[in-house]
Amino acid sequence: MAALAGTTIGGLTSVIANWLNQKNQVRAQWLHYERNRRQVLYRDFIEEASKCYIDALQHDEADISGLVGLYAKLSRMRVSSSQPVVHCAEGIARKILNTYLEPDKSFVELRDMAINGSIDLLREFSNACRKEFDELRAREF
């Protein structure tokens, strides 16, 4: 009876250990996939926002196709990103829209904005993304 109980407990322990190991592997793979997917989305958003922002600084007529692409990426972020990342992205989109209503900037004004850092529209967004990635990395282990 003791041998049968020992065999059963040993077998259950092995099955449970394998199940937990498999569960952890699947979770780690999913987190890795999710982090990579977000990296691509954020990279694309940054590129689109940069193009739209420089267009807004130099023109008073909106680049509608660029704005549509920007808002499409923002909507994708609303599905899977953290609230701080989404909040920063929404602020960027508002800033770009408002910039189209301002007078066009000359090259000298753009240079001055670059020197004093006011042209860096994406700093807060980048920091929020980095924090989100750090939290995802911490959950992997």
Side-chain angles (χ1 to χ4, degrees):
M1 188 68 122
L4 184 60
T7 303
T8 303
I9 290 172
L12 283 175
T13 302
S14 177
V15 167
I16 291 171
N18 284 335
W19 177 74
L20 288 174
N21 187 34
Q22 182 68 24
K23 181 181 171 186
N24 286 337
Q25 285 179 351
V26 168
R27 184 174 183 270
Q29 288 173 345
W30 180 82
L31 287 170
H32 180 74
Y33 167 79
E34 184 64 21
R35 189 177 69 233
N36 287 342
R37 189 183 64 77
R38 289 183 195 187
Q39 284 176 336
V40 170
L41 175 60
Y42 299 163
R43 180 198 66 207
D44 293 347
F45 179 82
I46 287 169
E47 289 173 0
E48 193 79 44
S50 298
K51 290 175 188 175
C52 287
Y53 187 52
I54 198 66
D55 186 70
L57 288 168
Q58 295 179 326
H59 302 99
D60 57 357
E61 181 115 1
D63 174 15
I64 302 299
S65 64
L67 290 172
V68 168
L70 187 71
Y71 273 93
K73 289 167 184 63
L74 176 58
S75 292
R76 288 175 51 202
M77 280 185 237
R78 287 185 182 121
V79 173
S80 62
S81 299
S82 66
Q83 191 58 40
V85 169
V86 172
H87 180 71
C88 290
E90 290 171 339
I92 289 168
R94 277 191 303 276
K95 174 68 175 167
I96 290 170
L97 288 174
N98 291 337
T99 302
Y100 275 111
L101 301 174
E102 297 173 2
D104 295 348
K105 304 286 188 228
S106 69
F107 178 76
V108 173
E109 290 171 312
L110 291 174
R111 183 184 59 101
D112 291 342
M113 290 175 70
I115 290 170
N116 69 26
S118 65
I119 201 166
D120 190 1
L121 179 69
L122 297 162
R123 182 184 310 268
E124 188 177 331
F125 176 77
S126 299
N127 290 336
C129 292
R130 184 177 307 110
K131 184 176 178 183
E132 183 181 83
F133 287 136
D134 288 346
E135 290 169 3
L136 280 174
R137 249 183 248 110
R139 289 173 35 192
E140 275 186 48
F141 302 107

